[in-house]
Amino acid sequence: MGIESKYIWMDGKLVESENATVPFLSTALHYGLGVFEGIRCYNTNRGPAVFRLKEHMDRLVNSAKILGFNSLPYTSAELAEAAKETIRANGFKACYIRPLIYHHNRSSLGLNLDGGEARVGIAVWEWGRYLGDESIEKGVRANVSSFTRHHPNIAMTKAKITGNYANSVLAKTESVRLGFDEAIMLDPQGYVAECSGENIFVVRHGIIYTTQTAVILEGITRDALISLAKDLGYTVVEQLISRDQLYIADEVFVCGTAAEVVPVTEIDFRQIGDGVMEPVTRQIQQAFMAVISGSHPRSAEWLEYVNN
Ligand code: PPE
Protein backbone atom coordinates (compact mmCIF):
# COMPACT_ATOMS: atom_id res chain seq x y z
CA MET A 1 0.00 0.00 0.00
CA GLY A 2 2.09 2.93 -1.26
CA ILE A 3 1.02 6.42 -2.30
CA GLU A 4 -0.92 5.04 -5.22
CA SER A 5 -3.89 6.47 -7.04
CA LYS A 6 -5.03 6.77 -10.61
CA TYR A 7 -6.10 10.37 -10.68
CA ILE A 8 -5.12 13.56 -8.91
CA TRP A 9 -7.22 16.70 -9.10
CA MET A 10 -5.02 19.57 -10.32
CA ASP A 11 -6.40 23.10 -10.67
CA GLY A 12 -9.89 22.09 -11.63
CA LYS A 13 -9.45 18.84 -13.50
CA LEU A 14 -8.54 15.23 -12.87
CA VAL A 15 -5.22 14.20 -14.37
CA GLU A 16 -3.38 10.88 -14.37
CA SER A 17 -1.24 10.76 -11.23
CA GLU A 18 2.06 10.74 -13.11
CA ASN A 19 1.06 13.99 -14.80
CA ALA A 20 0.35 15.77 -11.50
CA THR A 21 3.65 17.63 -11.35
CA VAL A 22 4.93 20.87 -9.87
CA PRO A 23 7.64 22.98 -11.60
CA PHE A 24 11.10 22.72 -10.03
CA LEU A 25 11.40 26.51 -9.88
CA SER A 26 8.36 26.85 -7.68
CA THR A 27 8.42 29.02 -4.57
CA ALA A 28 6.43 26.26 -2.88
CA LEU A 29 9.39 23.90 -3.12
CA HIS A 30 12.09 26.44 -2.34
CA TYR A 31 10.45 28.22 0.60
CA GLY A 32 7.77 25.83 1.88
CA LEU A 33 4.96 28.05 0.65
CA GLY A 34 2.06 25.66 0.66
CA VAL A 35 -0.83 24.84 2.95
CA PHE A 36 -2.42 21.44 3.18
CA GLU A 37 -4.95 19.21 4.88
CA GLY A 38 -5.15 15.60 5.91
CA ILE A 39 -8.65 14.16 5.78
CA ARG A 40 -9.96 10.61 5.98
CA CYS A 41 -12.72 8.92 4.06
CA TYR A 42 -14.21 5.81 5.70
CA ASN A 43 -16.03 2.78 4.41
CA THR A 44 -19.57 2.73 5.83
CA ASN A 45 -22.63 0.69 4.92
CA ARG A 46 -23.86 3.76 3.00
CA GLY A 47 -20.64 3.83 0.98
CA PRO A 48 -17.56 6.01 1.42
CA ALA A 49 -17.99 8.91 3.84
CA VAL A 50 -15.60 11.74 4.65
CA PHE A 51 -15.09 12.75 8.27
CA ARG A 52 -15.75 16.47 8.86
CA LEU A 53 -14.99 17.47 5.28
CA LYS A 54 -16.30 21.01 5.64
CA GLU A 55 -14.24 21.71 8.76
CA HIS A 56 -11.09 20.46 7.04
CA MET A 57 -11.64 22.56 3.93
CA ASP A 58 -12.48 25.60 6.05
CA ARG A 59 -9.20 25.08 7.93
CA LEU A 60 -7.37 24.79 4.61
CA VAL A 61 -8.77 28.13 3.48
CA ASN A 62 -7.87 29.64 6.86
CA SER A 63 -4.32 28.28 6.58
CA ALA A 64 -4.02 30.05 3.21
CA LYS A 65 -5.33 33.25 4.80
CA ILE A 66 -2.82 32.95 7.66
CA LEU A 67 0.04 32.41 5.21
CA GLY A 68 -1.07 35.56 3.41
CA PHE A 69 -2.88 34.56 0.22
CA ASN A 70 -5.31 37.38 -0.50
CA SER A 71 -7.45 35.36 -2.85
CA LEU A 72 -7.93 31.73 -3.78
CA PRO A 73 -9.25 30.24 -7.00
CA TYR A 74 -11.72 27.97 -5.16
CA THR A 75 -14.01 28.22 -2.16
CA SER A 76 -14.05 25.74 0.67
CA ALA A 77 -17.30 24.27 -0.68
CA GLU A 78 -15.84 23.84 -4.17
CA LEU A 79 -12.78 22.10 -2.74
CA ALA A 80 -15.03 19.76 -0.76
CA GLU A 81 -16.86 18.82 -3.97
CA ALA A 82 -13.53 18.35 -5.76
CA ALA A 83 -12.34 16.00 -3.01
CA LYS A 84 -15.46 13.86 -3.39
CA GLU A 85 -15.04 13.85 -7.18
CA THR A 86 -11.44 12.63 -6.76
CA ILE A 87 -12.50 9.81 -4.44
CA ARG A 88 -15.20 8.71 -6.89
CA ALA A 89 -12.77 8.81 -9.82
CA ASN A 90 -10.30 6.59 -7.98
CA GLY A 91 -12.98 4.24 -6.73
CA PHE A 92 -11.66 4.03 -3.17
CA LYS A 93 -13.99 2.94 -0.38
CA ALA A 94 -11.69 4.29 2.31
CA CYS A 95 -8.75 6.62 1.77
CA TYR A 96 -6.71 9.56 2.99
CA ILE A 97 -7.30 12.87 1.25
CA ARG A 98 -4.50 15.40 0.79
CA PRO A 99 -5.52 18.78 -0.63
CA LEU A 100 -2.65 21.23 -1.00
CA ILE A 101 -2.65 24.86 -2.08
CA TYR A 102 0.76 26.04 -3.18
CA HIS A 103 2.34 29.27 -4.27
CA HIS A 104 3.80 29.57 -7.72
CA ASN A 105 5.39 32.61 -9.32
CA ARG A 106 5.95 32.26 -13.06
CA SER A 107 8.33 35.21 -13.29
CA SER A 108 10.66 35.02 -10.30
CA LEU A 109 11.69 33.28 -7.15
CA GLY A 110 11.42 35.62 -4.20
CA LEU A 111 10.30 35.94 -0.62
CA ASN A 112 7.10 37.77 -1.35
CA LEU A 113 3.74 36.11 -1.70
CA ASP A 114 2.39 38.89 -3.90
CA GLY A 115 3.01 38.51 -7.60
CA GLY A 116 2.49 34.77 -7.57
CA GLU A 117 -0.60 32.65 -7.77
CA ALA A 118 -2.28 29.95 -5.71
CA ARG A 119 -2.44 26.54 -7.33
CA VAL A 120 -4.35 23.60 -5.93
CA GLY A 121 -4.05 19.82 -6.00
CA ILE A 122 -6.03 17.08 -4.29
CA ALA A 123 -4.64 13.55 -4.02
CA VAL A 124 -6.26 10.49 -2.43
CA TRP A 125 -4.72 7.14 -1.57
CA GLU A 126 -5.20 4.22 0.78
CA TRP A 127 -3.19 4.96 3.93
CA GLY A 128 -3.09 2.40 6.71
CA ARG A 129 -2.36 2.97 10.38
CA TYR A 130 -0.11 6.04 10.62
CA LEU A 131 1.61 4.96 13.85
CA GLY A 132 1.81 1.28 12.90
CA ASP A 133 -0.64 -1.56 12.41
CA GLU A 134 -0.91 -2.36 16.10
CA SER A 135 -0.85 1.21 17.43
CA ILE A 136 -4.60 1.51 17.91
CA GLU A 137 -4.74 -1.47 20.30
CA LYS A 138 -1.23 -1.79 21.70
CA GLY A 139 -0.37 1.88 21.94
CA VAL A 140 2.89 3.63 21.19
CA ARG A 141 6.08 4.65 22.99
CA ALA A 142 6.97 8.33 22.84
CA ASN A 143 9.69 10.63 24.04
CA VAL A 144 9.76 14.33 24.72
CA SER A 145 11.63 15.73 21.76
CA SER A 146 14.84 17.70 22.03
CA PHE A 147 13.27 19.98 19.41
CA THR A 148 10.90 22.72 20.60
CA ARG A 149 7.54 23.24 18.90
CA HIS A 150 7.11 26.46 16.97
CA HIS A 151 6.81 29.74 18.79
CA PRO A 152 3.42 31.06 17.63
CA ASN A 153 4.98 34.27 16.35
CA ILE A 154 7.67 32.46 14.36
CA ALA A 155 5.66 29.86 12.51
CA MET A 156 1.91 30.17 12.51
CA THR A 157 0.71 27.19 14.49
CA LYS A 158 -2.95 27.44 13.42
CA ALA A 159 -1.96 26.87 9.83
CA LYS A 160 -0.88 23.63 8.20
CA ILE A 161 1.91 25.34 6.26
CA THR A 162 4.14 22.86 4.43
CA GLY A 163 7.32 24.63 5.59
CA ASN A 164 6.20 24.33 9.23
CA TYR A 165 6.49 20.59 8.96
CA ALA A 166 10.30 20.63 8.87
CA ASN A 167 9.94 21.05 12.65
CA SER A 168 7.80 17.90 12.86
CA VAL A 169 10.23 16.02 10.63
CA LEU A 170 13.20 16.98 12.85
CA ALA A 171 11.37 15.69 15.91
CA LYS A 172 9.86 12.55 14.40
CA THR A 173 13.09 11.44 12.73
CA GLU A 174 15.01 11.88 15.97
CA SER A 175 12.41 9.93 17.97
CA VAL A 176 12.26 7.05 15.52
CA ARG A 177 16.06 6.88 15.33
CA LEU A 178 16.09 6.68 19.14
CA GLY A 179 13.66 3.76 18.96
CA PHE A 180 10.41 5.54 19.88
CA ASP A 181 7.23 5.67 17.80
CA GLU A 182 6.38 9.34 18.19
CA ALA A 183 7.72 12.66 19.46
CA ILE A 184 5.96 14.80 22.06
CA MET A 185 6.96 18.42 21.60
CA LEU A 186 7.10 21.16 24.22
CA ASP A 187 6.24 24.76 23.44
CA PRO A 188 8.83 27.56 23.79
CA GLN A 189 7.79 28.00 27.46
CA GLY A 190 8.43 24.33 28.16
CA TYR A 191 4.81 23.18 28.41
CA VAL A 192 3.43 20.28 26.42
CA ALA A 193 2.26 21.36 22.97
CA GLU A 194 1.52 18.47 20.64
CA CYS A 195 3.15 15.59 18.81
CA SER A 196 4.79 15.75 15.41
CA GLY A 197 1.44 14.90 13.81
CA GLU A 198 -1.16 14.59 16.59
CA ASN A 199 -2.73 16.45 19.49
CA ILE A 200 -2.40 15.03 23.00
CA PHE A 201 -4.73 14.20 25.90
CA VAL A 202 -3.99 13.24 29.51
CA VAL A 203 -6.34 11.45 31.93
CA ARG A 204 -5.85 11.75 35.68
CA HIS A 205 -8.29 10.81 38.44
CA GLY A 206 -11.08 10.46 35.88
CA ILE A 207 -10.68 13.96 34.43
CA ILE A 208 -9.52 14.48 30.86
CA TYR A 209 -7.01 17.24 30.19
CA THR A 210 -5.75 18.60 26.93
CA THR A 211 -3.56 21.53 26.00
CA GLN A 212 -4.93 24.97 25.26
CA THR A 213 -5.11 25.89 21.60
CA ALA A 214 -2.76 28.91 21.59
CA VAL A 215 0.38 27.11 20.39
CA ILE A 216 -1.03 24.03 18.68
CA LEU A 217 -2.79 23.08 15.51
CA GLU A 218 -6.50 23.13 16.31
CA GLY A 219 -7.02 19.49 15.52
CA ILE A 220 -10.38 18.46 14.14
CA THR A 221 -10.05 15.03 15.75
CA ARG A 222 -9.18 16.75 19.05
CA ASP A 223 -12.36 18.81 18.78
CA ALA A 224 -14.43 15.69 18.02
CA LEU A 225 -12.94 13.79 20.97
CA ILE A 226 -13.72 16.66 23.35
CA SER A 227 -17.38 16.46 22.26
CA LEU A 228 -17.44 12.66 22.51
CA ALA A 229 -15.85 12.74 25.98
CA LYS A 230 -18.43 15.27 27.16
CA ASP A 231 -21.21 13.13 25.64
CA LEU A 232 -19.86 10.28 27.78
CA GLY A 233 -20.10 12.46 30.88
CA TYR A 234 -16.42 13.33 31.31
CA THR A 235 -15.12 16.70 32.38
CA VAL A 236 -12.63 17.97 29.81
CA VAL A 237 -10.21 20.68 30.94
CA GLU A 238 -8.06 22.66 28.51
CA GLN A 239 -5.02 23.90 30.42
CA LEU A 240 -1.25 24.10 30.48
CA ILE A 241 0.27 20.64 30.87
CA SER A 242 3.81 20.12 32.12
CA ARG A 243 6.20 17.34 31.15
CA ASP A 244 5.99 15.70 34.57
CA GLN A 245 2.19 15.73 34.43
CA LEU A 246 2.59 13.34 31.51
CA TYR A 247 4.75 11.02 33.59
CA ILE A 248 2.19 10.69 36.42
CA ALA A 249 -0.91 10.52 34.22
CA ASP A 250 -3.23 7.52 34.51
CA GLU A 251 -3.61 7.55 30.73
CA VAL A 252 -2.21 9.47 27.78
CA PHE A 253 -3.56 9.29 24.26
CA VAL A 254 -2.90 11.14 21.04
CA CYS A 255 -5.19 11.84 18.12
CA GLY A 256 -5.15 13.03 14.57
CA THR A 257 -6.70 12.30 11.22
CA ALA A 258 -3.94 9.97 10.12
CA ALA A 259 -3.25 8.39 13.54
CA GLU A 260 -6.90 8.34 14.79
CA VAL A 261 -7.02 7.59 18.57
CA VAL A 262 -3.84 5.99 19.90
CA PRO A 263 -2.87 5.18 23.50
CA VAL A 264 0.61 6.20 24.67
CA THR A 265 1.89 3.48 26.98
CA GLU A 266 5.37 4.83 27.72
CA ILE A 267 6.97 8.28 27.73
CA ASP A 268 10.72 8.86 28.24
CA PHE A 269 11.10 5.27 29.56
CA ARG A 270 8.34 5.82 32.16
CA GLN A 271 5.35 3.48 31.92
CA ILE A 272 2.00 5.24 31.74
CA GLY A 273 -0.64 3.53 33.88
CA ASP A 274 -0.29 -0.22 33.48
CA GLY A 275 1.42 0.19 30.12
CA VAL A 276 -1.64 -0.89 28.15
CA MET A 277 -4.70 0.84 26.72
CA GLU A 278 -6.63 2.10 29.75
CA PRO A 279 -10.44 2.37 30.10
CA VAL A 280 -11.04 6.05 29.33
CA THR A 281 -8.91 5.89 26.19
CA ARG A 282 -10.70 2.72 25.14
CA GLN A 283 -14.13 4.27 25.64
CA ILE A 284 -13.23 7.35 23.62
CA GLN A 285 -11.54 5.31 20.91
CA GLN A 286 -14.65 3.10 20.66
CA ALA A 287 -16.92 6.14 20.37
CA PHE A 288 -14.69 7.54 17.61
CA MET A 289 -14.70 4.19 15.78
CA ALA A 290 -18.49 4.11 16.00
CA VAL A 291 -18.68 7.62 14.54
CA ILE A 292 -16.50 6.77 11.54
CA SER A 293 -18.32 3.51 10.88
CA GLY A 294 -21.57 5.46 10.59
CA SER A 295 -23.26 3.87 13.60
CA HIS A 296 -22.97 6.65 16.22
CA PRO A 297 -25.56 9.39 16.88
CA ARG A 298 -22.85 11.92 15.90
CA SER A 299 -22.20 10.19 12.55
CA ALA A 300 -24.95 12.15 10.80
CA GLU A 301 -23.37 15.41 11.90
CA TRP A 302 -19.76 14.50 11.07
CA LEU A 303 -19.86 12.20 8.04
CA GLU A 304 -20.33 13.46 4.52
CA TYR A 305 -21.28 10.67 2.14
CA VAL A 306 -19.38 10.66 -1.14
CA ASN A 307 -22.08 9.16 -3.36
CA ASN A 308 -25.07 11.30 -2.42
N1 PPE B 1 -1.01 18.49 15.25
C1 PPE B 1 -0.23 18.37 14.15
C2 PPE B 1 1.10 19.00 14.18
C3 PPE B 1 -0.72 17.68 13.04
O1 PPE B 1 0.06 17.60 11.95
C4 PPE B 1 -1.99 17.09 13.07
C5 PPE B 1 -2.50 16.34 11.88
C6 PPE B 1 -2.77 17.22 14.24
C7 PPE B 1 -2.25 17.94 15.30
C8 PPE B 1 -4.16 16.67 14.34
O2 PPE B 1 -5.07 17.41 13.55
P1 PPE B 1 -6.38 16.74 12.92
O3 PPE B 1 -5.91 15.83 11.85
O4 PPE B 1 -7.17 17.89 12.43
O5 PPE B 1 -7.07 15.99 14.01
N2 PPE B 1 -1.51 15.57 11.22
C9 PPE B 1 -1.71 15.06 9.88
C10 PPE B 1 -0.55 14.18 9.44
C11 PPE B 1 0.66 14.94 9.06
C12 PPE B 1 1.45 14.19 8.04
O6 PPE B 1 1.38 14.57 6.89
O7 PPE B 1 2.13 13.21 8.40
C13 PPE B 1 -2.93 14.16 9.79
O8 PPE B 1 -3.27 13.50 10.76
O9 PPE B 1 -3.51 14.12 8.70
Side-chain angles (χ1 to χ4, degrees), residues 58 68 72 93 145 190 193 212:
D58 285 349
L72 292 178
K93 291 190 170 73
S145 182
Q212 296 165 334

Side-chain angles (χ1 to χ4, degrees), residues 250-271:
D250 299 326
E251 308 185 26
V252 175
F253 58 94
V254 298
C255 71
T257 299
E260 303 176 309
V261 182
V262 175
V264 180
T265 53
E266 189 188 313
I267 298 172
D268 293 342
F269 303 105
R270 288 148 178 90
Q271 180 177 295

Side-chain angles (χ1 to χ4, degrees), residues 161-183:
I161 297 171
T162 56
N164 284 2
Y165 275 78
N167 178 245
S168 288
V169 173
L170 287 168
K172 175 86 179 198
T173 303
E174 178 190 57
S175 291
V176 172
R177 286 180 181 168
L178 287 169
F180 296 99
D181 304 301
E182 181 54 298

Side-chain angles (χ1 to χ4, degrees), residues 59 96 98 130 149 160 165 194 196-197 219-221 257-258:
R59 187 172 67 183
Y96 187 77
R98 170 54 57 83
Y130 184 71
R149 196 69 183 141
K160 280 180 83 81
Y165 275 78
E194 60 189 328
S196 68
I220 291 167
T221 320
T257 299

